[in-house]
Amino acid sequence: MHQSSTLYIGLDVHKESIAVAYVAKADHAEGVSLGNIGTRQCDIDHLIRKMQSKSTHLVFVSEAGPCGDWLYRYLTKKGHICWGVAPSLIPKKPGDRVKTNRRDAIKLARLMRSGDLTPVYVPQVEDEAIRDLCRAREDAIRDLQTAKLRLKAFLLRHDIRYTGQATWSPAHLRWLSDVVCPTPAQQSVFHEYVRAITDHTERLARLEQELTEHGQTWRLAPVVDALQALRGVPCTVAVTTVAELGDLTRFANPRQLLHYLGLTPSEYSTGERRQQGGITKTGNSHARRALVEGAWAYRYPAKVSRHLPLRLEKVSKPIQDSSWQAQIRRCKRYRQLSARGKHANQVVVAIARELRACMWAIAQEVPLTP
């Protein structure tokens, strides 16, 4: 049997099955569907043996998703090329109204052959573990905020008002312990809401402790320590950024990193007309949110806080100097943009772009062990 030099194999991965199709390297070769296979490793091994009888060089491609990372790692470990592509970046014909697993698999194989696909970054197993901790912490924060909002809404419905200044302070918690509702049933509801807040608070503390302990032995811990030299980048922001983006040196320049985070302005230009809008908000939303959160620290004048010197002790003198210079520059930039009448959110996003470029530059100076 004649063997083709390269076969491009499209995999439409689902929870219980994988639709498989392949296309030969020849330009006019038609796509061939192989139907569905199982998701077990033995099913993948059988597919590999079947394809190797047709070609010595196999290139696999699948959509990135919750079922794709293990497949990428397994095929890569076997020595094959495997790409995961973002579904939102797969070219689609406007008039194509028929979507099936078979068609999707053939389309992936054809687009891979034509070079119209861009691979996504698949983290290593230990990097994904830290990322899961960061995302679990974000979920705990959202659950805690929701629980607090429910309790405040319950008290407001019954006209039970706190007259102090700051909520959730020690004084506010003491006031909550003395609240008495009109009926026993409502008192039970109140205690359940308070208990939910306590549970979420303890859960958040446990996750932050786990994140700190596992982050100290992480292979990217030196980068996390170096990024904390920047103002507005405490441990949680630094760990979240590195866990979501991986090794920042994989980006050739800061502009690629900004495109990946969706921090570049959208644009619609035609002829001599050029119109820019808000940021694209594409890419990783977790890292973008952490970055914007840290950028709010630059609305105050430049200074060395009581927490920053402790973080600066872990980095070299050149990084300390660049951190201070960057702080002066960004604080000045914030005042300049605010004086021009820019909205505070626009100013913070502009500062976040500069902060991300500074993070990329710092990551270039931190050596990592392979």
Side-chain angles (χ1 to χ4, degrees):
M1 178 184 295
H2 175 70
Q3 289 189 342
S4 174
S5 59
T6 302
L7 285 183
Y8 298 94
I9 305 171
L11 305 174
D12 190 30
V13 184
H14 298 275
K15 179 181 177 181
E16 301 294 342
S17 64
I18 302 176
V20 183
Y22 71 89
V23 176
K25 188 176 182 180
D27 294 337
H28 301 288
E30 295 292 333
V32 179
S33 175
L34 298 179
N36 294 337
I37 65 172
T39 57
R40 299 173 300 176
Q41 293 184 0
C42 60
D43 299 323
I44 304 300
D45 293 337
H46 178 72
L47 174 65
I48 293 174
R49 290 193 299 268
K50 184 176 181 179
M51 292 292 98
Q52 285 178 336
S53 66
K54 301 177 182 294
S55 174
T56 57
H57 186 222
L58 306 179
V59 178
F60 295 87
V61 57
S62 65
E63 292 184 355
C67 301
D69 287 354
W70 75 267
L71 183 60
Y72 166 86
R73 296 190 182 105
Y74 186 73
L75 291 173
T76 303
K77 186 178 180 180
K78 289 283 186 180
H80 300 287
I81 299 175
C82 182
W83 279 19
V85 296
S88 59
L89 298 181
I90 298 177
K92 299 179 182 178
K93 296 180 180 179
D96 191 0
R97 300 296 180 89
V98 180
K99 180 188 181 303
T100 63
N101 297 341
R102 174 180 172 275
R103 283 173 172 259
D104 289 345
I106 294 177
K107 181 170 66 174
L108 284 173
R110 287 176 175 173
L111 292 174
M112 186 68 179
R113 180 182 63 181
S114 63
D116 292 330
L117 298 177
T118 303
V120 300
Y121 167 72
V122 179
Q124 300 181 15
V125 176
E126 56 271 20
D127 298 347
E128 188 177 26
I130 299 296
R131 188 183 68 180
D132 289 340
L133 274 175
C134 293
R135 294 187 178 181
R137 174 184 171 272
E138 292 182 7
D139 293 338
I141 291 176
R142 283 194 293 267
D143 292 341
L144 178 59
Q145 291 173 345
T146 302
K148 289 180 177 180
L149 181 61
R150 287 171 179 167
L151 176 60
K152 293 176 70 174
F154 173 81
L155 294 176
L156 184 61
R157 287 199 305 269
H158 300 288
D159 197 28
I160 302 175
R161 302 174 183 271
Y162 175 63
T163 57
Q165 296 182 352
T167 57
W168 312 116
S169 62
H172 182 233
L173 297 179
R174 288 192 298 269
W175 175 80
L176 285 176
S177 63
D178 297 332
V179 170
V180 178
C181 297
T183 65
Q186 293 169 338
Q187 190 71 23
S188 299
V189 173
F190 170 76
H191 286 309
E192 289 296 331
Y193 280 144
V194 173
R195 183 176 179 180
I197 294 175
T198 303
D199 293 341
H200 289 310
T201 303
E202 295 175 353
R203 171 188 166 202
L204 178 59
R206 290 194 303 268
L207 287 171
E208 290 182 345
Q209 180 65 25
E210 290 286 335
L211 188 60
T212 302
E213 293 178 358
H214 291 284
Q216 293 175 353
T217 58
W218 189 24
R219 69 179 185 91
L220 296 176
V223 180
V224 174
D225 293 337
L227 294 183
Q228 292 182 60
L230 298 170
R231 181 179 180 179
V233 186
C235 180
T236 53
V237 174
V239 172
T240 301
T241 300
V242 180
E244 295 292 342
L245 302 180
D247 188 2
L248 298 182
T249 58
R250 66 187 180 92
F251 298 96
N253 51 65
R255 187 174 296 275
Q256 287 186 2
L257 181 56
L258 294 178
H259 286 312
Y260 182 82
L261 291 172
L263 286 172
T264 53
S266 58
E267 181 175 346
Y268 179 81
S269 299
T270 176
E272 297 180 356
R273 180 185 176 186
R274 182 172 181 265
Q275 181 178 358
Q276 286 186 316
I279 58 176
T280 58
K281 292 186 179 180
T282 58
N284 195 297
S285 60
H286 301 275
R288 182 172 63 250
R289 181 169 53 252
L291 177 64
V292 173
E293 177 185 340
W296 280 102
Y298 293 93
R299 66 187 186 274
Y300 302 112
K303 67 174 183 179
V304 178
S305 63
R306 61 187 181 92
H307 301 289
L308 190 57
L310 299 177
R311 307 203 301 257
L312 290 174
E313 294 177 354
K314 302 179 182 180
V315 299
S316 60
K317 186 65 166 58
I319 295 180
Q320 295 180 12
D321 296 338
S322 62
S323 171
W324 175 247
Q325 294 173 2
Q327 181 181 166
I328 295 176
R329 182 173 62 252
R330 282 191 291 271
C331 291
K332 180 180 179 181
R333 177 71 172 165
Y334 189 98
R335 293 194 301 271
Q336 290 176 342
L337 293 176
S338 299
R340 289 166 53 183
K342 296 291 184 180
H343 192 274
N345 292 342
Q346 292 178 317
V347 177
V348 168
V349 170
I351 299 301
R353 284 197 290 266
E354 295 187 10
L355 181 61
R356 178 58 67 207
C358 189
M359 285 183 173
W360 179 87
I362 290 179
Q364 307 298 317
E365 303 178 7
V366 180
L368 292 177
T369 57

